[in-house]
Amino acid sequence: MPRENMASLIQKIARQASTTFKNCGSSPIGENSKGFLENQAKLRNLLHEIRAEDLNIAPRKLDPSPISVPHNPPVTYMHICETGAFSMGVFLLKGGSSIPLHDHPEMNGMLKVLYGKVSISCFDKLDNPPDAASEAQFNPPVLPYQKDALRRSLLRSVGEYTEHSGPCVLTPKKDNLHQINAVDGPAAFLDILAPPYDQDDGRDCHYYKVLENGDVKLETGEQKEMWLLEIPQPTDFWCGAEPYPGPQVTL
């Protein structure tokens, strides 16, 4: 059962997300503007409080049954709400599963773990220097037709998150690409994206794989420049749907 006085917490989060991202569907958000940063901080604080029990979600046990199409997907999604400004829902990952490296074009986002543990690798896209893709050497070699799908990136961080961690935040320029792996069993997280994915508006989801080459450059103790290759959605990843059991959200 939700904790006392917490039944409306997800409603408060939705309202604050609506306030924070109300203009992101029509115009770029100034990431350093005072109003946006204040609203973003309020949203982060609310997300820090949310727990699985507030959404009537019980932590899942390790499922020994094999992943199969379409009956047992590695990841499922509970839709909570969506407006033109943002979408919100819960991703549930089976033990040992992952959401492959992907991007969020011109989007902001926040991710808050509800139960379990996830490892998140965060990347920034970098501009490709002239002729850099054609001159880079890879093992195994990249095929000629793949050169245009190469993307220079910066691996900014790899960190583990639990229900006691603060939210993981992405912006259009910072930490916009990430891979999410379930660690030591099943996991779930609340996900807010602003604006929502929309292929017709240029916000389609693209998948990538990391390429190792001799040019990997250590920027600091935690950051590396590296090449990514844009790929189709991996065949071992797909996302099923299940009903959301928590408090109703109205906007």
Side-chain angles (χ1 to χ4, degrees), residues 17-31 36 83-87 105-109 172 192-197 201 203:
S18 182
T19 299
T20 303
F21 301 119
K22 61 184 176 182
N23 295 319
C24 69
S26 57
S27 62
I29 293 178
E31 293 179 26
F36 175 71
T83 70
F86 77 100
S87 62
E106 300 303 318
M107 297 157 68
N108 291 270
I192 297 175
L193 293 177
Y197 281 116
D201 204 22
R203 295 190 303 277

Side-chain angles (χ1 to χ4, degrees), residues 92-191:
L92 301 98
L93 285 69
K94 288 183 168 58
S97 67
S98 67
I99 299 177
L101 182 60
H102 62 283
D103 64 0
H104 309 79
E106 300 303 318
M107 297 157 68
N108 291 270
M110 291 190 181
L111 178 166
K112 176 62 176 69
V113 173
L114 298 173
Y115 67 78
K117 181 192 298 183
V118 298
S119 174
I120 306 178
S121 301
C122 297
F123 294 76
D124 292 354
K125 284 184 180 177
L126 302 177
D127 292 332
N128 285 359
D131 301 321
S134 60
E135 295 173 358
Q137 301 297 314
F138 301 97
N139 186 19
V142 171
L143 299 175
Y145 75 88
Q146 295 176 312
K147 295 286 187 178
D148 290 340
L150 289 171
R151 304 287 185 269
R152 197 68 172 162
S153 72
L154 179 68
L155 173 60
R156 288 180 54 88
S157 65
V158 179
E160 291 189 343
Y161 294 77
T162 71
E163 64 181 295
H164 303 295
S165 306
C168 179
V169 178
L170 65 90
T171 75
K173 301 298 183 184
K174 183 178 178 182
D175 297 332
N176 189 265
L177 294 81
H178 60 205
Q179 177 168 324
I180 304 168
N181 301 323
V183 178
D184 299 332
F189 61 86
L190 181 66
D191 189 64

Side-chain angles (χ1 to χ4, degrees), residues 55-78:
L55 306 181
N56 295 324
I57 296 174
R60 306 288 170 87
K61 296 181 179 180
L62 193 62
D63 185 356
S65 58
I67 302 299
S68 63
V69 181
H71 305 293
N72 193 21
V75 178
T76 55
Y77 182 72
M78 296 177 174

Side-chain angles (χ1 to χ4, degrees), residues 99-103 143 145-146 149-151 179 204-211 228-238:
I99 299 177
L101 182 60
H102 62 283
D103 64 0
L143 299 175
Y145 75 88
Q146 295 176 312
L150 289 171
R151 304 287 185 269
Q179 177 168 324
D204 198 8
C205 183
H206 308 91
Y207 295 90
Y208 303 85
K209 73 174 182 178
V210 176
L211 299 179
L228 305 179
L229 178 68
E230 185 176 338
I231 60 173
Q233 179 175 319
T235 56
D236 60 352
F237 170 73
W238 74 102

